[in-house]
Amino acid sequence: MSASDEVGRPDVVVVGAGVIGLTTAAVLAEAGLRVRVDAERLPGATTSAAAGATWGPFMIGPEDRVAAWAATSLAVFEELAAGQEETGVAVIEGTHQSMTPTEPPRWAVSAGVRPCTAAELRPGYVTGWRRRSPVVDMPRYLAWLERRFTHAGGRVRAHAYRSLAETAQEAPVVVNCSGVGAATLVPDPGVTPVRGQVVVVRHGGALREFFGDDTPDAPELTYAFPHGDTAVLGGTAQRGDATLEPSPAVSEAILHRCRAVLPELRGAEVLGTRVGLRPAREAVRLETARVAGADGADGAVLVHNYGHGGAGVTVSWGCAAEVLDLVKQAGIPGH
Ligand SMILES: Cc1cc2nc3c(=O)[nH]c(=O)nc-3n(C[C@H](O)[C@H](O)[C@H](O)COP(=O)(O)OP(=O)(O)OC[C@H]3O[C@@H](n4cnc5c(N)ncnc54)[C@H](O)[C@@H]3O)c2cc1C
């Protein structure tokens, strides 16, 4: 008897317990499907847990599909902010600022921004724009998402797959939300890890808004997202680097950059460091395929949902809704 028989064979196995896998699994389970999430790394140890995180496309394509997925997700995050204590989602004000003259990106304009006043610009910055945005305390949010999923009847299992063929015997439908793991699991050479390191601090309420340095071609990322009395300070985008070990020198550099721009952080206490690997790809892969079973066994419908780069949180609900449509189109025996 396999593990899946013990609790009844699921209709869908979702591979991956990051923000993409958990959101997809919750949406499928709430649509009435029996869903199991199988993941090598459990939610708190994923790339998703390391994210800042705010709503805004970064290092993701294609632009038109991303805009639609992001708009769907924005509406959901705005609703989730009503239950901030539980969900970890808040909608707050903040600015993006640049040390050289530049225009806000198209997505920011369509989300509603206004130019910064001179008084709002930090020293060294010549232009900027202000907006209200969801900010998401990712460890808290992922824990809430997992609860939402299990409340809808889902189950999360720690399990690593060596190939997609192995997944085919587990359920008639498999959704591949393996993030950077898709590089070896699919295998897809188009997926590249882009390493991000952040420092978590306690600022005791001194940081009231989010801040992002949007200077074009800036050599380093500098940003700060408050979550109550703590904040996530960033960051890095190290293409091709898959080292999960935090670098103390990088943390020092992040603290130095953030404290220089945001003096209110000078007394902040360092609580920890997080590292994640953004699953960069030329375009998100969200489509239906089929996977053959191992040793000639029956195959399964396979829906890919990976390659969300630096914006997996931003597009998570839109992508999950599209996966549900694809799963419905494929049809599930008994449904
Ligand atoms: C520092 C940093 C800051 C970021 N800031 C933002 C932000 O502000 N806004 C935003 O929208 N995005 C942000 N991102 C990007 C965002 O975190 C990613 O796009 C997102 O986490 C990708 O989610 P995922 O679920 O695809 O991948 P992951 O979170 O990496 O999850 C992948 C899951 O698949 C599992 N898996 C992989 N291979 C296998 C296998 N063979 N068998 C079983 N399981 C497997 C893993 O164990 C894991 O559970 C940031 C990222 C970083 C690193």
Side-chain angles (χ1 to χ4, degrees):
M1 185 188 262
S2 78
S4 56
D5 293 331
E6 289 165 21
V7 290
R9 184 172 154 84
D11 299 315
V12 183
V13 160
V14 173
V15 181
V19 70
I20 297 298
L22 285 182
T23 312
T24 303
V27 165
L28 295 175
E30 286 171 3
L33 298 170
R34 279 178 301 174
V35 184
R36 195 181 71 218
V37 168
D38 286 346
E40 182 172 4
R41 298 174 79 90
L42 294 173
T46 59
T47 285
S48 302
T54 186
W55 180 93
F58 172 63
M59 214 184 274
I60 188 171
E63 192 176 337
D64 52 344
R65 289 182 88 190
V66 167
W69 294 325
T72 301
S73 308
L74 180 59
V76 177
F77 285 124
E78 283 172 347
E79 278 175 24
L80 295 180
Q84 182 190 348
E85 276 307 309
E86 236 191 306
T87 62
V89 181
V91 175
I92 63 170
E93 293 261 334
T95 63
H96 300 257
Q97 304 194 13
S98 170
M99 293 187 176
T100 56
T102 186
E103 294 293 318
R106 253 201 305 256
W107 64 261
V109 174
S110 51
V113 294
R114 70 153 175 82
C116 286
T117 62
E120 286 170 343
L121 292 175
R122 299 280 178 168
Y125 289 85
V126 301
T127 188
W129 50 95
R130 169 173 287 278
R131 66 176 176 125
R132 279 178 75 74
S133 174
V135 290
V136 187
D137 180 356
M138 289 306 292
R140 192 145 47 118
Y141 178 63
L142 292 172
W144 170 81
L145 257 186
E146 185 176 351
R147 286 198 302 277
R148 178 164 164 169
F149 169 56
T150 51
H151 184 71
R155 186 162 79 93
V156 178
R157 179 174 76 134
H159 182 80
Y161 289 104
R162 281 164 302 170
S163 72
L164 285 174
E166 281 179 14
T167 66
Q169 62 212 28
E170 300 291 327
V173 175
V174 174
V175 187
N176 172 23
C177 304
S178 56
V180 82
T184 47
L185 185 66
V186 175
D188 183 344
V191 177
T192 307
V194 178
R195 183 180 185 278
Q197 181 167 325
V198 294
V199 180
V200 183
V201 297
R202 189 191 314 282
H203 59 84
L207 184 69
R208 307 181 71 86
E209 302 194 331
F210 67 85
F211 172 87
D213 179 327
D214 272 31
T215 308
D217 304 320
E220 310 281 0
L221 296 180
T222 306
Y223 57 79
F225 298 112
H227 303 295
D229 72 344
T230 66
V232 173
L233 312 183
T236 66
Q238 300 155 274
R239 183 165 280 272
D241 186 343
T243 315
L244 284 171
E245 187 67 23
S247 155
V250 166
S251 291
E252 272 312 308
I254 290 170
L255 283 167
H256 180 77
R257 286 200 300 280
C258 287
R259 285 173 174 154
V261 179
L262 305 163
E264 58 268 50
L265 290 175
R266 285 190 187 149
E269 173 199 358
V270 175
L271 299 179
T273 309
R274 297 187 204 141
V275 174
L277 306 177
R278 299 175 184 88
R281 194 173 186 272
E282 195 180 357
V284 173
R285 186 169 185 201
L286 203 172
E287 64 185 8
T288 308
R290 210 177 156 83
V291 60
D295 302 328
D298 278 353
V301 171
L302 172 64
V303 180
H304 290 294
N305 186 13
Y306 67 86
H308 303 82
V313 183
T314 303
V315 296
S316 50
W317 290 97
C319 290
E322 192 166 323
V323 169
L324 176 61
D325 287 344
L326 294 178
V327 169
K328 281 183 180 162
Q329 276 166 33
I332 299 218
H335 285 271

